[in-house]
Amino acid sequence: MSIVAVVGLQWGDEGKGKITDVLASGSDLVVRFQGGANAGHTLVVGDKIIRSHLIPSGILYPKTISVIGPGCVFDPEIFEKELNTLKDLKVKTGKILISNRAHVVFPYHKYFDGIKEEYLGKNAIGTTKMGIGPCYSDKVNRIGITIGDIVSGTDLKPLLQNSLDEKNFMIKSRYNKKQINIKDMLNWIDKYRELIRKFTGNAYELVNDYASRGKKILFEGAQGTFLDLDWGTYPFVTSSNTVAGNIYIGGGLSPKYKVNVLGIVKAYSTRVGNGPFPGELNDEISELIRDKGKEFGATTGRPRRCGWINLDLLKFAVLMNGVTSIALTKLDVLSCLDKIGVITEPKKGINKKVPNTFLETNDMQIEYLNGWDISIDNIRTFKDLPKNSREYIKYIEKVLGVPASIISLGAQRKKYIMRKEIW
Ligand code: GDP
Ligand code: IMO
Ligand code: MG
């Protein structure tokens, strides 16, 4: 198979960036198909730590083209920053193509995100405040501004006026905050127009041309299944579809192409931001996992909430994404624990077709598997792993009904075991 989708099966931060970076060495294209700079994907190469928010994680390979697809929301400020960081690090980067259909995140989207969250107080979503929700809302509301609008010389004034009139009304009457000035926004976008123009193109043509020629395409998901707008823990979700089906819409790939779906699963669970988190731990184990796994948000620096792996939810994620195999990440973090918890089927029958009910936590069942007492990050073959860690992997494979083709054992690019070729 020459097309692979890498998607998160939990609440984001599963290690999608690392796995994409590993697989991108053989890819012709790496395509982001949803989300924006709310993503924080970490790549560790030698002594360099690179955090990408908007630019796809294939960027470190000179032969790979990185595509910011039509389903993404594009923040020019972050884009420029990321380009400069890559230059400073003196990494040879590949080419970048931004879809003319992607929507632009303006400073007013971030401002609106911030004041809305502040207004919601204890009911806030806990967003990254990167303007993601307001930008996608404008898109759905048909008052958004696209990359095509920016580079084609479209008169932005009436478009902005239309969008800002509504927002300023809300800002004044509901939030009682400073209103947005249209001139500031016109000046702001002027600063980025030429930079954006250099990279803009028709992404769907490239994607489908490469697909038709059997070139290797990697779709890089952001966030995770339980942050999906339709399938996550609504309303505590992000504002796009994170599941693999969206590669056809947000990535612009024709549905005639079949793909392999690699689900990225952290060996335990984390969540950053508010909302239901069945199996959340608030004890010395969660602190240990947070410290050892460095579980702090790559975008906001917030401490991530931690808990055991939730196989019951993961079964749903495997189905909803059409997962063909998983990459199990951060198994090294669980080394030296006596017992490792796994959340399995709830005791009582729960109607899984209704997400709100399957996230009820009171019927959770936890089983404990034996841990292993040596560190495993330098192991490179499955058979060399301690028996109990192999048992843990096999248990997960059995419940989920899919193989673990990659076992990731450290943040560094080379720290993994490849059990089965992905392509
Ligand atoms: P993403 O958003 O899914 O790309 O994940 P993040 O980059 O936000 O968070 C994953 C974190 O775990 C990053 O700090 C990675 O460098 C790190 N990481 C990825 N895989 C592994 C692994 O197998 N073991 C360890 N210890 N760290 C890992
Ligand atoms: P990656 O790609 C983890 C969470 C936020 C918040 C909710 C909505 O690194 O896995 P938003 O700013 O999107 O409107 O916030 O989604 N969130 C993430 N959590 N990893 C991410 O991305 C996330 N992107 C958004 O914390 O709960
Ligand atoms: Mg992340």
Side-chain angles (χ1 to χ4, degrees), residues 13-18 40-42 304 330 332-333 408-411:
D13 304 325
E14 297 92 348
K16 298 175 292 293
K18 176 196 162 161
H41 297 180
T42 318
R304 295 172 182 152
K330 304 192 86 160
D332 54 301
V333 174
S408 177
L409 298 167

Side-chain angles (χ1 to χ4, degrees), residues 11-13 16 38-41 126-128 222-223 227 237-238 272 302:
W11 282 275
D13 304 325
K16 298 175 292 293
N38 48 348
H41 297 180
T127 73
T128 58
Q223 293 82 52
L227 289 172
V237 293
T238 191
V272 59
R302 292 177 290 179

Side-chain angles (χ1 to χ4, degrees), residues 190-209:
D190 278 349
K191 284 194 293 190
Y192 298 105
R193 183 172 287 101
E194 286 318 308
L195 177 74
I196 296 173
R197 198 198 304 277
K198 265 202 258 171
F199 294 101
T200 301
N202 231 334
Y204 84 89
E205 280 179 359
L206 180 75
V207 168
N208 288 290
D209 174 48

Side-chain angles (χ1 to χ4, degrees), residues 5 14 23 27 54 67 88 124 137 154-155 164 191-192 206 209 244 271 289-290 307 324 337 356 364 373:
E14 297 92 348
L23 297 178
S27 314
L54 196 55
V67 180
D88 291 347
S137 304
T154 304
D155 183 5
L164 292 184
K191 284 194 293 190
Y192 298 105
L206 180 75
D209 174 48
R271 171 162 205 167
I289 290 176
R290 188 176 302 115
T324 30
L337 287 175
N356 285 352
M364 250 173 24
D373 56 8

Side-chain angles (χ1 to χ4, degrees), residues 304-357:
R304 295 172 182 152
R305 300 154 69 190
C306 298
W308 297 126
I309 196 166
N310 192 322
L311 296 181
D312 192 39
L313 290 183
L314 279 167
K315 265 187 1 193
F316 170 83
V318 164
L319 172 78
M320 202 38 73
N321 288 280
V323 167
T324 30
S325 74
I326 62 165
L328 188 68
T329 62
K330 304 192 86 160
L331 189 65
D332 54 301
V333 174
L334 297 182
S335 295
C336 307
L337 287 175
D338 271 357
K339 297 273 173 199
I340 300 172
V342 243
I343 299 170
T344 55
E345 296 271 358
K347 280 182 193 130
K348 288 180 210 140
I350 283 181
N351 181 0
K352 293 202 175 82
K353 286 188 184 128
V354 188
N356 285 352
T357 55

Side-chain angles (χ1 to χ4, degrees), residues 8 12-19 39-44 49 51 57 220-223 264 266 268 292-299 304 328-333 407-412 415:
D13 304 325
E14 297 92 348
K16 298 175 292 293
K18 176 196 162 161
I19 301 297
H41 297 180
T42 318
L43 322 176
V44 184
I49 299 180
R51 292 215 165 84
S57 302
E220 177 185 10
Q223 293 82 52
I264 315 299
K266 206 183 277 193
Y268 47 91
K292 225 175 141 194
K294 300 199 179 83
E295 295 298 352
F296 296 88
T299 303
R304 295 172 182 152
L328 188 68
T329 62
K330 304 192 86 160
L331 189 65
D332 54 301
V333 174
I407 313 293
S408 177
L409 298 167
Q412 293 274 345
K415 295 204 168 183

Side-chain angles (χ1 to χ4, degrees), residues 117-313:
E117 284 283 279
E118 187 187 324
Y119 180 84
L120 287 171
K122 66 174 178 31
N123 296 320
I125 304 294
T127 73
T128 58
K129 299 189 184 156
M130 297 306 284
I132 306 299
C135 186
Y136 276 116
S137 304
D138 278 1
K139 173 179 173 173
V140 174
N141 206 9
R142 292 161 294 189
I143 55 169
I145 295 176
T146 65
I147 294 284
D149 290 328
I150 305 292
V151 300
S152 64
T154 304
D155 183 5
L156 295 182
K157 205 171 170 196
L159 300 183
L160 274 169
Q161 193 75 59
N162 194 23
S163 180
L164 292 184
D165 278 354
E166 225 175 72
K167 286 181 188 64
N168 277 333
F169 176 76
M170 285 282 281
I171 288 170
K172 191 167 176 220
S173 60
R174 188 180 196 201
Y175 302 117
N176 195 22
K177 296 274 182 193
K178 189 169 176 278
Q179 293 188 321
I180 303 151
N181 181 307
I182 187 166
K183 263 202 195 132
D184 291 346
M185 294 303 116
L186 286 165
N187 291 338
W188 178 85
I189 196 61
D190 278 349
K191 284 194 293 190
Y192 298 105
R193 183 172 287 101
E194 286 318 308
L195 177 74
I196 296 173
R197 198 198 304 277
K198 265 202 258 171
F199 294 101
T200 301
N202 231 334
Y204 84 89
E205 280 179 359
L206 180 75
V207 168
N208 288 290
D209 174 48
Y210 270 45
S212 72
R213 291 193 283 135
K215 297 257 186 189
K216 287 185 174 159
I217 309 179
L218 198 67
F219 285 90
E220 177 185 10
Q223 293 82 52
T225 301
F226 294 100
L227 289 172
D228 180 283
L229 180 59
D230 287 275
W231 297 105
T233 55
Y234 191 87
F236 296 95
V237 293
T238 191
S239 298
S240 66
N241 288 112
T242 65
V243 293
N246 196 19
I247 66 166
Y248 296 109
I249 310 281
L253 178 72
S254 164
K256 72 181 180 183
Y257 297 108
K258 291 261 178 295
V259 300
N260 268 344
V261 179
L262 179 66
I264 315 299
V265 177
K266 206 183 277 193
Y268 47 91
S269 306
T270 61
R271 171 162 205 167
V272 59
N274 303 332
F277 184 18
E280 178 169 13
L281 296 170
N282 272 309
D283 56 12
E284 65 281 7
I285 302 262
S286 55
E287 268 174 40
L288 195 132
I289 290 176
R290 188 176 302 115
D291 274 3
K292 225 175 141 194
K294 300 199 179 83
E295 295 298 352
F296 296 88
T299 303
T300 58
R302 292 177 290 179
R304 295 172 182 152
R305 300 154 69 190
C306 298
W308 297 126
I309 196 166
N310 192 322
L311 296 181
D312 192 39
L313 290 183

